[in-house]
Amino acid sequence: MGRTFFVGGNWKCNGTSEEIKKIVATLNAGQVPSQDVVEVVVSPPYVFLPLVKNELRSDFHVAAQNCWVKKGGAFTGEVSADMLVNLGIPWVILGHSERRAILGESNEFVGDKVAYALSQGLKVIACVGETLEQRESGSTMDVVAAQTKAIAERVKDWSNVVVAYEPVWAIGTGKVATPAQAQEVHAELRKWLQANVSAEVAASTRIIYGGSVSGANCKELAGQPDVDGFLVGGASLKPEFIDIIKAAEVKKSA
Ligand code: 13P
């Protein structure tokens, strides 16, 4: 079974309801390959999830940008996985580096969140990635392996997990990883899954790249054998997101 190309748009903490409606209208008008070629998921801020879910074309799906580590209760300001399920939100992004770095989410905490979200029936985009300092000190693989291990220790069924490799130094910087840099880490991550989870999980799990992906660089990145799609930040708010979705064609013709 091939890995269906996956393109996620992480809108982060952006947008007014008017702006969000405009982005959705652009997406709804976009000509993109069919769902057997590319799976498209966009992730608006929590407050806009119902609006986007209602207005978005039915072949695109929505993701929350986070959810709480366990069932809801006395956790002021949090949103539980159960609530997302209740609203019919199929996906959630967990472990984004902006939350790991700024809010201090540890590998273990992210692993617990992934396990709980999956147990409630959500599909998870689980983010991993090294800082510039870690890359320069040669510890990239140790860092992403430790992040992945904390998930693997808590998760049995990987069929609803997409792993997003997002080097922190490439996020929002315009400094995209070279295709070779992305391919190297993706291949290593797949090898890690093969050695530590199973050959089947390694072969079937989508590993997508995030960090300054644009309409200009997406095709070359998509041409790498272990790059199964993208998690796009800034460019996912713009019409060029449609071009990034179309990069799936590169795989189809490969
Ligand atoms: P940019 O595409 O803006 O670099 O953001 C990437 C990202 O963090 C997606 O989750």
Side-chain angles (χ1 to χ4, degrees):
M1 241 326 251
R3 300 182 294 267
T4 306
F5 204 76
F6 184 101
V7 180
N10 177 5
W11 297 353
K12 306 193 179 182
C13 189
N14 289 295
T16 61
S17 43
E18 287 69 34
E19 287 163 353
I20 297 281
K21 280 182 191 163
K22 259 195 214 158
I23 296 169
V24 171
T26 303
L27 292 177
N28 287 350
Q31 302 263 336
V32 301
S34 60
Q35 284 184 86
D36 54 322
V37 176
V38 61
E39 187 169 2
V40 180
V41 175
V42 295
S43 190
Y46 282 136
V47 291
F48 299 124
L49 279 168
L51 166 72
V52 175
K53 187 180 154 45
N54 289 338
E55 299 206 355
L56 190 67
R57 57 198 285 175
S58 62
D59 56 334
F60 288 7
H61 300 286
V62 286
Q65 294 175 16
N66 179 42
C67 65
W68 183 232
V69 66
K70 52 185 164 184
K71 201 171 159 53
F75 306 104
T76 303
E78 293 295 340
V79 169
S80 75
D82 318 59
M83 292 168 188
L84 298 176
V85 172
N86 179 245
L87 283 188
I89 307 301
W91 285 92
V92 63
I93 297 172
L94 293 171
H96 193 281
S97 67
E98 286 153 13
R99 300 192 61 86
R100 289 180 187 263
I102 301 165
L103 302 166
E105 292 193 0
S106 67
N107 292 352
E108 294 68 30
F109 185 65
V110 172
D112 286 343
K113 292 214 286 193
V114 172
Y116 185 72
L118 290 172
S119 78
Q120 296 310 298
L122 289 173
K123 301 182 202 187
V124 174
I125 302 165
C127 306
V128 300
E130 82 288 1
T131 63
L132 184 60
E133 203 181 11
Q134 289 164 335
R135 172 161 285 262
E136 286 176 345
S137 70
S139 58
T140 295
M141 218 27 236
D142 293 342
V143 169
V144 298
Q147 291 167 335
T148 311
K149 180 165 178 269
I151 296 167
E153 283 170 348
R154 292 161 173 82
V155 167
K156 294 250 158 355
D157 181 358
W158 283 72
S159 53
N160 286 330
V161 180
V162 168
V163 176
Y165 168 59
E166 300 204 295
V168 178
W169 49 269
I171 294 178
T173 57
K175 198 169 179 270
V176 65
T178 65
Q181 282 173 322
Q183 169 58 24
E184 183 185 22
V185 178
H186 285 225
E188 287 291 329
L189 268 171
R190 207 176 297 289
K191 245 194 255 170
W192 190 94
L193 288 173
Q194 172 149 16
N196 296 282
V197 183
S198 71
E200 292 71 34
V201 166
S204 60
T205 301
R206 270 104 37 108
I207 305 176
I208 63 176
Y209 169 80
S212 297
V213 175
S214 69
N217 60 35
C218 60
K219 280 200 184 136
E220 211 189 339
L221 286 161
Q224 301 301 307
D226 287 294
V227 174
D228 304 316
F230 303 116
L231 187 56
V232 185
S236 71
L237 299 162
K238 303 179 190 159
E240 82 185 272
F241 188 59
I242 296 291
D243 299 324
I244 299 173
I245 297 169
K246 286 184 188 157
E249 296 282 3
V250 171
K251 279 290 194 256
K252 205 179 138 200
S253 55

